[in-house]
Every structure is written in structure tokens, then in C-alpha cells.
């Protein structure tokens, strides 16, 4: 099986998308999803079926398809970077402007009797004819192409409605007496019957064309604006890199980078690709990729992400991921996949759209025949039938879901929230329990020195001696002590006669003092050091709270107890409060012992704790919660969380975690903070609410308006304006998601 995204041109409404999708899915073994808003078809092809075969099917359906090239998305008109205007938008704008200039006098003459000079009706015909023929040509052309393939779409309704109003006017002018000198007519908002001579509807044909062109223009602009986030992602990456070749810097295109290459990043430059720092120290601004506003300090051994900005020092970076494997490329791919998908509620709307147009044509015919049979008034019957055709266009219905999904997922990507597909949105609404892995999710995932308790010794002196000793060790606890000592005391003294006992402790001579640091039992038994009551009590308290205790002895005397712990992230408690406010019940899940888990839970504000769980047992915990009737969201970051993430109703992986966890999750959070979980749920629920609001108004609009048109209570002119407004409303309502803001640290729930 292979997958390809085809760029589709020629679609004018969701009925077009459904026709293409249906044709592609009739190919043996092919699975296709066509998205009207993104103008793309995501096609899964079996072995033996080529991309050319799929393109041929699309072409045979009456549309054009091609495999898109990278960065081929049209630039948004008016981009600040000076990108050229989208030719499709520019062409539509030109057609709209010319049609408007010609249509305005036609409408004014029809509405204001004082402007109806002798032979004004022929002047109206002269002005309206180019609007009906050239201005409305996109609708006529699409209707004709669809008719050749025995299909009807929104364009069929528009074309028939505009041409019917124009042809009626021609009949009235040439055969019905409306072309006589001195002919006048008055304008009313409601349709009315014929007088002594039939009236002309040139203003209807011209104005409806202008309204629909305006609606399509605004809709196209909004769609381009909605997809701007994805284009901005693609443009974030660096264009070239300064690669070290035999110690000399050589500028090469970023596409030619290979794993293992060393490249230099100077202050103010973008990091060319994902890599590991091998030399230098700096602060890296990752806000463009992760949405994280605070620069992160990096040094040798730290991982950096491509397209992030080097803010201060010079760095030498070893490339670890290139091309399609980079974080930015994967983010872009995930967003594209999400935007190409369809929510279950959208599939219902698509099915309605496919049968809607034939039903409307039947209703328009029924309206025409019914009015003639009941009243005998052909003009009134014609007016009502045209109003039915124009008001019933289901364009808003087809745009309701994809535009909201387009904007929501794009905004999420800007904030470091990657939603894998539209079906995820419903899961965020239903979730009532959120299971949080402890290490790396609620806590920092790094050991930190949290307390130094001394008995008769100077705190700074003991920390300096212990830090110097531990600096010679690679153990995570030792690194935490050494780092804290460097931070507080600066440069540390050297160590002599250093020895290490794995899992127990270290010894050495620092500035002439014999220093021992290790587990309490080892220090007491191996080195016969008596721990005084003050330090013993501090040790008991720390162990009861889940901390790791290190006893430091200097020259054979117990000098201090150092407490090291994996601390709770600064914003975890705030995030838990927000999750509760969203109606979610937090559960802390960890393989650590109960004391450590309870201490973290207290600090974060979590009531329910499940501790001492083996990695394979996490799946069972999630399953048990589901069997209790709960809808479970799971947040994790490690390989041991992947299965539980897949089992949960909603899996969320911290982007700071492993690839396996990210692949198993429904939502990936590029920012390593629990507040990103809150933002993901808020954004998903907000997007779902926008989708449902759009669908409600689209359905309600058609359900309410069609009966009014059939009853003769809606003029074609008002119907055209209302139909154009409905599409613009749906798109602009979706664009409100662009204003979604992440929660700031410190914001109360």
C-alpha cells in the first residue's frame, strides 16, 4: 500500500468532493478521502495501482488533479513577506469588481422609479448581459461539466436560477410587452404577481451573480487564511547550514544534510535540523515550533530542534534527524493528516449534500407547478421557483466542518498541539477521567537537590565538598548534587583518590578532607559513621515523602543529609486545577513506590493515586477504569506508556518523550508542560463546538428558508444575498479559532 495527497482543482462545493471521493473509492482496493476546504484528496493505493490511475479517475469525473509539490500552497493575498497573490483569488476578485460595477446601475434602475428613463429596460439588458454570461461563467461552466457526467451540484442550482431570471426577462422584453417605451416597475422585498405586462428580473440575475461571486471570493480568501498556519510551518525551516568539512565551514542547502554531519549555528541563526549539541552553550528560542515562550538553555549533550532560533552563543551541533524525519516535518505531516480527515458528523453532512440538490430541483419544479395550478399566475410561480433554487444552495453545509478543522488544527500546530484527526475532537468532549504518568509528565523527570540538612556544619562548606565529590560520578543523583553545588558555590575543588561503589555511594579526598557520600545504611555500616538524631529525623521525613536521601560524612563525622527528588513541574498544580474545571478527574499513575507518588500527588493537587504499577500493568489500569464506565484520557511520555496511550479513549503524548509514545497517541504536545494538556482539551472542545454551531446554522438556514421561498415570501434578490451570507458566516465563524490563546502560567482555573 502507498499513500498520496492529490491537489484537486475545479471543486465548487462539497457535492463535488463527494463525487470525486465516490469515484476514487470505486477503484479496487483504493481508500480515498476528499476534503473540499483543503482542496486535497488523501488516497491510499494498493500495489498495482499508480498515482496516474487515481489522477485519471479524477480527470474523468470532470476535475483536475495533480500530486502536490512541497511548499506549493498558494500564498495568501497580502502576505507581509511579499509573496505573490494567489491567481485564483485575483481572478475571482477581478470578475467580482467588473460584475459589481455593471450590476449596481441595473439594481438601482429597478428599485428607484425616478431613474427609469425611456428605454431604461434596454440599458439594463445591456449592462446585465455581461454579468449573467461572463460574471456567472464559473457557475455555468461547473454546471455544464457536472451535467455531462450526469451529476448536479450547487452550481447547477445557481446557474439555473440566474439563467431562468435572465431568460424570463428576455421573454418579457421581446415578446411580453416589457420592452415598450415608458415601461415602469416598482421594487418590493416580497414577490408579487403580474400586472398588465410581465416584469423583468434583470436586477435579480445581475445582483444574485454579484452576491454569489462575493460569497465565493470571501470564502476563498478565508480558506486561504485558514490554511496559512500550515504554510507558515513549512516556511519555518532554515534554507542552508554551515557544515564543518575538515574543520572548515561550508555553506550547503539544508536538504543535503546527512545524519552525523557537524554544523555551526551562530547567534540569531536558525538551527538547520534536529541534532545534539557537541560544543558551545546558548539559549534557544523554540516558540515558533513549540509555542513555548521562554528560551531554553542548552549545552553539550542537549538535544535541539530544527527551525528553532539560536538566541545567544555559538553552537556546534551534530545532526541526528534530517529531511522527513525532523520534528518540524513530522509536525507538518501530522497537521496535514488531521486536516485531510473527516469527522463522523461531516460525513453525515456530505451524504445530505449529495441528495440535497436533486431534492431542491424537485421542490423548485413543484413550486412552479403548484403556484400555476393554484393561482394561474405564471410570474409569481416563476419568482417563487427561482427563489427556491437560489436560497437552497448547500454550500454552507459542506464548509461547516472542514473550515473549522482547518483553522483549529492549524492554530494548534502554532501552539505546539498536534491533533491527529477529527475523530479525536469527540473524545475530548466525552472524557471524564485523565490518567497522568508521573515521571516526565507531572514531574520534571530529572533528579534535583531539594534540601540540605546539616548538624553543626556550615551548609555552603558541606555542599561544596559533596558537590566536588559527586561531580566525578555519572549517577543521576550525583549529577543533581553537583549541579546544585555549582549553581550555589561556583567553581568546585578537585577530587583525589576517588572511588565509586555502584548503587551505594562514592568516596574521595577534597581539599585534604576525607569525604564519603552515599546511602545511609552504607555510610553507617561500611564507614562506621554515627548519624545524629537531627539528621536521622530529617532522613525519615524525606523518605516518607518519597525523596532519595544521601548522607555526607567528612573526616569520619556525619555532616549533612542531602535530599534529592524528581520535583513537580512548576505549573503542574495549576494545570490540574484547570483540568478539574474542565470536568476531568485526575489520576496519578506511576511505577514508583507509594510514598513518592503520594508526595507528588499532594504537591500537584491530585487525590487519586495508583502506584507500584509495572509498565505492562498500565494498560490494565486504563482498562479497569474503562470497565467502571469512565471515558479515559491518558497522558504519558515514555516507551512504557505507549500501550496505555493506545488503550485509552484519548491518548496524549508529551512531545519531549519517545517516538513510540508519540505514534501511539491521538494528540501530541510539543511543549513539555501539563498546561499544554489543558490547552489541547480546550482547543479540541472549542473546535468541536464551532463545528456543531456551523452545522446547526447551515441546516437551520436551509430548513427555514426553503419553505419561505416556496410560500412566495422570499424574493430571489434577498435569497441570493442570504445564500452568500450563509457561506461567509460559516467560514468567518470558523476563523474565530485563530484567536484561541494558550493559558498563561499563573492564570487561575
Amino acid at each position: 500500500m502507498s499513500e498520496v495527497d492529490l491537489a484537486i482543482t475545479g471543486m465548487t462545493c462539497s457535492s463535488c468532493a463527494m463525487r470525486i471521493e465516490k469515484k476514487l473509492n470505486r477503484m479496487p482496493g483504493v481508500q480515498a478521502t476528499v476534503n473540499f476546504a483543503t482542496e486535497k484528496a488523501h488516497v491510499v493505493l494498493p500495489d498495482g495501482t499508480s498515482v496516474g490511475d487515481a489522477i485519471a479517475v479524477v480527470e474523468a469525473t470532470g476535475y483536475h488533479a495533480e500530486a502536490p509539490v512541497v511548499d506549493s500552497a498558494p500564498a495568501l493575498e497580502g502576505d507581509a513577506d511579499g509573496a505573490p497573490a494567489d491567481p485564483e483569488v485575483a481572478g475571482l476578485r477581478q470578475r467580482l469588481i467588473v460584475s459589481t460595477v455593471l450590476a449596481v446601475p441595473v439594481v438601482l434602475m429597478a428599485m428607484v422609479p425616478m431613474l427609469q428613463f425611456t428605454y431604461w429596460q434596454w440599458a439594463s439588458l445591456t449592462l446585465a448581459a455581461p454579468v449573467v454570461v461572463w460574471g456567472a461563467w464559473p457557475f455555468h461552466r461547473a454546471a455544464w461539466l457536472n451535467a455531462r457526467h450526469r451529476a448536479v451540484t450547487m452550481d447547477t442550482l445557481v446557474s439555473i436560477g440566474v439563467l431562468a431570471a435572465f431568460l424570463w426577462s428576455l421573454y418579457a422584453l421581446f415578446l411580453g410587452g416589457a420592452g415598450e417605451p415608458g415601461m415602469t416597475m416598482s421594487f418590493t422585498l416580497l414577490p408579487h404577481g403580474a400586472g398588465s405586462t410581465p416584469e423583468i428580473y434583470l436586477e435579480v440575475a445581475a445582483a444574485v451573480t454579484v452576491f454569489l461571486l462575493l460569497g465565493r471570493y470571501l470564502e476563498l480568501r478565508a480558506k486561504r487564511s485558514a490554511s496559512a498556519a500550515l504554510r507558515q510551518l513549512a516556511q519555518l525551516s532554515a534554507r542552508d547550514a554551515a557544515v564543518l568539512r575538515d574543520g572548515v565551514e561550508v555553506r550547503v542547502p539544508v536538504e543535503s544534510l546527512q545524519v552525523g554531519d557537524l554544523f555551526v549555528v551562530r547567534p540569531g541563526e536558525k538551527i538547520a535540523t534536529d541534532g545534539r549539541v557537541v560544543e558551545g552553550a546558548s539559549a534557544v528560542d523554540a516558540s515558533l515550533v513549540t509555542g513555548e515562550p521562554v528560551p531554553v538553555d542548552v549545552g553539550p549533550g542537549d538535544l535541539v530542534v530544527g527551525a528553532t532560533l539560536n538566541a545567544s552563543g555559538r553552537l556546534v551541533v551534530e545532526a541526528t534527524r534530517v529531511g522527513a524525519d525532523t520534528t518540524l516535518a513530522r509536525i507538518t505531516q501530522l497537521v496535514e493528516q488531521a486536516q485531510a480527515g473527516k469527522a463522523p458528523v461531516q460525513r453525515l453532512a456530505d451524504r445530505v449534500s449529495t441528495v440535497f440538490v436533486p431534492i431542491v430541483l424537485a421542490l423548485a419544479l413543484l413550486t412552479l407547478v403548484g403556484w400555476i395550478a393554484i393561482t394561474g399566475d405564471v410570474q409569481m410561480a416563476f419568482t417563487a421557483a427561482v427563489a427556491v433554487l437560489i436560497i437552497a444552495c448547500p454550500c454552507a453545509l459542506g464548509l461547516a466542518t472542514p473550515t473549522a478543522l482547518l483553522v483549529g488544527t492549524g492554530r494548534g500546530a502554532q501552539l505546539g498541539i498536534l491533533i491527529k484527526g477529527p475523530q479525536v475532537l469527540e473524545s475530548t468532549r466525552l472524557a471524564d477521567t485523565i490518567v497522568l504518568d508521573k515521571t516526565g509528565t507531572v514531574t520534571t523527570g530529572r533528579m534535583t537537590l531539594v534540601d540540605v540538612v546539616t548538624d553543626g556544619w556550615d551548609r555552603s562548606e558541606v555542599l561544596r565538598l559533596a558537590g566536588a565529590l559527586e561531580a566525578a560520578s555519572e549517577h543521576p543523583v550525583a549529577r543533581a548534587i553537583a549541579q546544585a553545588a555549582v549553581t550555589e558555590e561556583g567553581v568546585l575543588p578537585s577530587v583525589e583518590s576517588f572511588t565509586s561503589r555502584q548503587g551505594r555511594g562514592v568516596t574521595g579526598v577534597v581539599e585534604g578532607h576525607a569525604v564519603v557520600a552515599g546511602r545511609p545504611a552504607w555510610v553507617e555500616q561500611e564507614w562506621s559513621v554515627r548519624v545524629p538524631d537531627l539528621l536521622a529525623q530529617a532522613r525519615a521525613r524525606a523518605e516518607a515523602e518519597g525523596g532519595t536521601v544521601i548522607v555526607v560524612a567528612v573526616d569520619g563525622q556525619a555532616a549533612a543529609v542531602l535530599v534529592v527528588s524528581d520535583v513537580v513541574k512548576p505549573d503542574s498544580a495549576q494545570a490540574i486545577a484547570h483540568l478539574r474545571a474542565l470536568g476531568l478527574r485526575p489520576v496519578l499513575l506511576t511505577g514508583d513506590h507509594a510514598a513518592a507518588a503520594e508526595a507528588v500527588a499532594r504537591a500537584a493537587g491530585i487525590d487519586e493515586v495508583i502506584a507500584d504499577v509495572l509498565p505492562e500493568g498500565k494498560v490494565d489500569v486504563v482498562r479497569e477504569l474503562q470497565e467502571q464506565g469512565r471515558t479515559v484520557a491518558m497522558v504519558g511520555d515514555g516507551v512504557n506508556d505507549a500501550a496505555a496511550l493506545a488503550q485509552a479513549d484519548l491518548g496524549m503524548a508529551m512531545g519531549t518523550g519517545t517516538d513510540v509514545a508519540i505514534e501511539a497517541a491521538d494528540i501530541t504536545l510539543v511543549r513539555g508542560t501539563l498546561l499544554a494538556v489543558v490547552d489541547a482539551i480546550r482547543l479540541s472542545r472549542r473546535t468541536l463546538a464551532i463545528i456543531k454551531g456551523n452545522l446547526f446554522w447551515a441546516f437551520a438556514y436551509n430548513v427555514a428558508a426553503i419553505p419561505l421561498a416556496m410560500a412566495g415570501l422570499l424574493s430571489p434578490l434577498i435569497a441570493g444575498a442570504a445564500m452568500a451570507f450563509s457561506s461567509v458566516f460559516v467560514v468567518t465563524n470558523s476563523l474565530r479559532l485563530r484567536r484561541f490563546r494558550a493559558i498563561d502560567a499563573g492564570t487561575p482555573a
Side-chain angles (χ1 to χ4, degrees), residues 48 108 124 200 213 294 306 419 440 460 489 596 662:
L108 288 176
S124 292
I200 59 176
L213 285 174
V294 181
I419 303 170
S460 296
E489 305 300 326
I662 292 170

Side-chain angles (χ1 to χ4, degrees), residues 6 8 20 23-24 27 43 45 49-67 149:
L6 301 178
I8 308 292
I20 299 171
K23 292 285 187 181
L24 287 172
M27 299 173 67
V43 188
L45 301 168
T49 302
S50 68
V51 175
D53 296 333
I55 291 177
V57 169
V58 176
E59 301 276 359
T61 312
Y63 305 88
H64 179 67
E66 60 182 13
H149 292 86

Side-chain angles (χ1 to χ4, degrees), residues 251-265:
R251 282 279 169 184
V252 300
V254 71
E255 294 81 9
S256 64
L257 278 175
Q258 297 181 352
V259 173
D261 281 349
L262 296 179
F263 60 93
V264 177
V265 189

Side-chain angles (χ1 to χ4, degrees), residues 376-415:
D377 190 335
V378 178
Q379 180 170 305
M380 184 65 186
F382 165 80
T383 305
V386 170
V388 170
L389 288 172
I390 295 174
I391 197 67
C393 294
C395 193
L397 199 61
L399 289 168
T401 294
T403 52
L405 190 63
L406 195 68
V407 183
T409 53
R411 182 58 182 147
Q414 291 176 326
L415 296 174

Side-chain angles (χ1 to χ4, degrees), residues 296-662:
V296 178
D297 292 327
V298 297
D302 290 331
L303 296 176
V304 290
V305 177
T308 55
L309 187 67
N310 180 19
S312 53
R314 177 182 181 274
L315 296 175
V316 177
V317 181
E318 178 187 1
T320 56
R321 285 178 176 168
V322 297
D325 295 329
T326 64
T327 300
L328 182 63
R330 292 169 66 209
I331 288 173
T332 306
Q333 182 183 20
L334 284 171
V335 175
E336 283 182 332
Q337 290 173 354
Q339 293 181 347
K342 291 188 179 182
V345 69
Q346 174 62 24
R347 296 194 177 275
L348 172 62
D350 287 345
R351 287 196 294 271
V352 170
S353 295
T354 56
V355 300
F356 195 75
V357 176
I359 291 174
V360 169
L361 289 172
L363 290 175
L365 182 61
L366 177 63
T367 302
L368 180 68
V369 173
W371 272 98
I372 293 175
I374 295 171
T375 66
D377 190 335
V378 178
Q379 180 170 305
M380 184 65 186
F382 165 80
T383 305
V386 170
V388 170
L389 288 172
I390 295 174
I391 197 67
C393 294
C395 193
L397 199 61
L399 289 168
T401 294
T403 52
L405 190 63
L406 195 68
V407 183
T409 53
R411 182 58 182 147
Q414 291 176 326
L415 296 174
I417 300 166
L418 308 180
I419 303 170
K420 281 196 176 178
Q423 68 281 354
V424 173
L425 303 178
E426 191 67 20
S427 300
T428 63
R429 183 185 68 84
L430 297 174
D432 54 29
T433 300
I434 185 161
V435 176
L436 305 164
D437 174 58
K438 181 181 78 70
T439 306
T441 302
V442 178
T443 66
T444 61
R446 302 186 307 273
M447 301 302 283
T448 303
L449 181 66
V450 296
D451 197 10
V452 178
V453 182
T454 61
D455 185 10
W457 288 77
D458 179 70
R459 181 186 184 280
S460 296
E461 177 68 9
V462 173
L463 182 58
R464 198 168 66 86
L465 295 175
L469 180 64
E470 297 285 19
S473 173
E474 292 297 321
H475 193 278
V477 172
R479 287 204 300 269
I481 296 171
Q483 184 175 357
V486 170
T487 302
E488 292 189 25
E489 305 300 326
V491 179
L492 300 177
S494 59
V495 182
E496 300 174 2
S497 305
F498 174 82
T499 58
S500 173
R501 294 287 299 276
Q502 186 174 3
R504 291 179 174 82
V506 290
T507 63
V509 177
V510 181
E511 293 183 336
H513 296 285
V515 183
V516 177
R519 293 185 177 276
W522 179 70
V523 173
E524 289 177 321
Q525 296 170 10
E526 187 80 10
W527 297 94
S528 303
V529 174
R530 176 186 169 278
V531 177
D533 292 343
L534 178 64
L535 297 185
Q537 292 170 4
R539 168 194 172 184
R541 285 196 306 271
E543 291 179 342
E545 294 177 357
T548 299
V549 176
I550 299 297
V551 171
V552 179
V554 179
D555 296 331
Q557 292 184 342
V561 164
L562 308 183
V563 182
V564 177
S565 179
D566 180 10
V567 297
V568 174
K569 292 178 181 177
D571 52 18
S572 288
Q574 178 191 354
I576 296 300
H578 280 286
L579 290 172
R580 290 187 188 278
L582 290 170
L584 293 164
R585 178 178 174 184
V587 177
L588 186 67
L589 179 64
T590 179
D592 275 0
H593 54 84
E598 291 287 353
V600 169
R602 281 194 301 273
I606 301 174
D607 299 327
E608 190 170 350
V609 179
I610 303 175
D612 297 311
V613 178
L614 296 175
E616 57 271 20
K618 292 186 177 182
V619 180
D620 297 329
V621 170
V622 173
R623 191 178 293 117
E624 288 171 9
L625 291 171
Q626 289 170 329
E627 289 172 356
Q628 295 171 14
R630 301 197 207 179
T631 303
V632 179
M634 168 80 187
V635 184
D637 70 337
V639 173
N640 59 350
D641 299 321
L645 289 170
Q647 172 66 34
D649 299 284
L650 175 67
M652 289 184 278
M654 308 295 279
T656 51
T658 64
D659 291 349
V660 178
I662 292 170

